[in-house]
Amino acid sequence: MGLVSQDALNQLKALMDQVKEEPLQRTFQNIHQGCVTETLMRFLKAREWNVTKAHKMIIDCLNWRVQNEIDNILSKPIIPTDLYRGIRDSQLIGLSGYSREGLPVFAIGVGLSTFDKASVHYYVQSHIQINEYRDRVILPSASKEHGKPITTCVKVLDMTGLKLSALNQIKLLTIISSIDDLNYPEKTNTYYIVNAPYIFSACWKVVKPLLQERTRRKVQVLPGCGRDDLLKIMDDASLPHFCRKEGRSGSSRHSVNGNENCYSLDHPFHQKLYNHIKEQSRIHEAVEPIKQGSFHVDFPEPPAEKAEIVKTLESELHKFKISNGNCD
């Protein structure tokens, strides 16, 4: 760490030591999980090492968490189970394993996620629950196992099935990504893009220049299913199911059985996650009965940079729609 970044870190630590409100202190503990330095560095990186901006970002994040009761979201199961299964079948994400450095590997089926089985609030709730389970359970466990702080993850994004209809999902995806940008910054070490069709390549060409250099460096577009490249950083057992064989469209929930398909509710990761949430809800039930219905969270306004990216992406997709005769 350079002198400038160490100085910025010391300044931010001093500012955070001045936070005395108990609710803010408690939710900050849920964020850092004992890794205070690594957490402060994430916020500093997200604000280009500007201490004032990083401090404001953390305080805004803490207030968002308190106002929306994020600390309790892992005790709010999405019920009934059939509804949650529908969400898992249409919001394709799961933990496929770990890199050789111990970083969790999350697989995301961008192209085949339909987000059509529930309301926006349920999908946002599910996304935040996975974030919180990652940060409060998965990462602390990995840190303990490897004897070092592990505070970030790797994401493998499968673009299989990406179509022009993705335009309909931009609003929801913008909400989710804005929540991540503002409240879970710098949690992803690298984004690996696999099975990218032409429509992705064309959109990436116009979006890439709009991204900050820090973000661009994180994105790697791999050839084909990415198997050979990913095996350089993880073992075969940790490969997402859609990367195991060239030409295999693996994002589909029907392509492999539940134990192999990390998107499925039957996969061990989602079974552990859902059981954890139900167990936490039983602990809290004595205080507050479990209610059906989604857990509503305030949706943030997207940052200016993201708003520009969304506008450019929508424009590019509209061009594709026109050039393809409005066909999907």
Side-chain angles (χ1 to χ4, degrees):
M1 188 187 300
L3 290 175
V4 174
S5 53
Q6 182 63 60
D7 184 51
L9 180 60
N10 291 339
Q11 289 181 49
L12 187 55
K13 280 183 176 178
L15 288 171
M16 292 307 297
D17 286 341
Q18 296 174 21
V19 176
K20 302 301 182 183
E21 296 92 334
E22 195 273 335
L24 299 187
Q25 290 181 335
R26 185 173 63 248
T27 200
F28 185 50
Q29 289 173 352
N30 267 331
I31 293 176
H32 66 67
Q33 294 291 319
C35 299
V36 178
T37 297
E38 291 79 8
T39 299
L40 296 181
M41 284 182 65
R42 287 194 296 104
F43 282 88
L44 281 166
K45 286 179 183 177
R47 289 298 177 260
E48 305 295 337
W49 299 94
N50 183 306
V51 175
T52 302
K53 291 181 178 179
H55 178 245
K56 182 181 184 303
M57 186 184 190
I58 295 179
I59 297 302
D60 287 347
C61 170
L62 298 183
N63 284 320
W64 173 81
R65 292 179 65 88
V66 170
Q67 291 163 10
N68 290 280
E69 300 183 1
I70 301 301
D71 288 346
N72 296 328
I73 200 168
L74 288 180
S75 64
K76 307 291 183 182
I78 295 174
I79 51 179
T81 303
D82 284 347
L83 172 62
Y84 189 62
R85 184 176 293 278
I87 291 171
R88 292 279 56 82
D89 287 347
S90 54
Q91 183 183 35
L92 303 181
I93 183 172
L95 178 73
S96 67
Y98 294 82
S99 74
R100 293 194 184 94
E101 294 183 347
L103 275 64
V105 177
F106 282 90
I108 303 174
V110 177
L112 292 174
S113 289
T114 54
F115 301 101
D116 60 351
K117 303 297 183 184
S119 70
V120 169
H121 288 283
Y122 277 118
Y123 286 112
V124 171
Q125 176 181 349
S126 172
H127 178 81
I128 295 175
Q129 285 179 331
I130 291 175
N131 279 356
E132 292 292 314
Y133 187 72
R134 174 197 66 199
D135 294 349
R136 294 195 237 169
V137 178
I138 297 292
L139 291 172
S141 176
S143 299
K144 185 177 179 180
E145 181 178 344
H146 289 268
K148 63 179 182 181
I150 294 177
T151 58
T152 60
C153 67
V154 168
K155 290 182 179 177
V156 184
L157 279 58
D158 181 20
M159 297 295 165
T160 298
L162 189 66
K163 300 177 181 178
L164 291 174
S165 54
L167 190 61
N168 301 328
Q169 298 162 10
I170 284 182
K171 183 178 179 180
L172 172 56
L173 294 175
T174 301
I175 291 170
I176 287 175
S177 61
S178 296
I179 287 173
D180 284 356
D181 289 346
L182 296 173
N183 302 289
Y184 304 90
E186 300 295 315
K187 293 298 293 187
T188 303
N189 186 284
T190 310
Y191 297 90
Y192 294 101
I193 311 294
V194 302
N195 298 321
Y198 176 73
I199 185 174
F200 168 80
S201 303
C203 289
W204 176 240
K205 187 177 180 180
V206 298
V207 168
K208 186 177 179 180
L210 301 177
L211 298 175
Q212 294 180 350
E213 178 60 28
R214 184 187 73 254
T215 304
R216 285 201 298 268
R217 286 198 301 266
K218 289 183 179 184
V219 180
Q220 295 189 31
V221 182
L222 304 181
C225 70
R227 183 177 185 275
D228 292 343
D229 291 284
L230 291 172
L231 284 175
K232 296 174 183 176
I233 65 160
M234 68 185 75
D235 295 332
D236 185 77
S238 290
L239 281 176
H241 54 279
F242 51 79
C243 296
R244 293 184 181 278
K245 188 177 179 182
E246 286 289 354
R248 184 177 184 177
S249 177
S251 283
S252 170
R253 61 186 179 274
H254 303 301
S255 60
V256 287
N257 66 51
N259 285 330
E260 292 180 13
N261 183 347
C262 62
Y263 301 147
S264 170
L265 180 54
D266 298 321
H267 187 272
F269 165 69
H270 282 297
Q271 283 292 301
K272 290 177 183 177
L273 166 61
Y274 200 43
N275 287 335
H276 177 86
I277 294 172
K278 289 190 289 185
E279 178 61 30
Q280 292 300 308
S281 74
R282 281 191 283 271
I283 293 172
H284 286 79
E285 194 174 6
V287 179
E288 183 180 350
I290 300 174
K291 299 177 182 177
Q292 282 191 301
S294 59
F295 185 92
H296 283 224
V297 172
D298 293 337
F299 298 157
E301 284 294 320
E305 177 196 356
K306 184 170 292 294
E308 184 181 358
I309 290 171
V310 170
K311 186 177 179 180
T312 302
L313 193 54
E314 286 178 330
S315 174
E316 194 67 17
L317 287 169
H318 276 303
K319 289 178 188 175
F320 263 91
K321 217 164 191 178
I322 293 170
S323 64
N324 284 272
N326 290 321
C327 295
D328 199 11

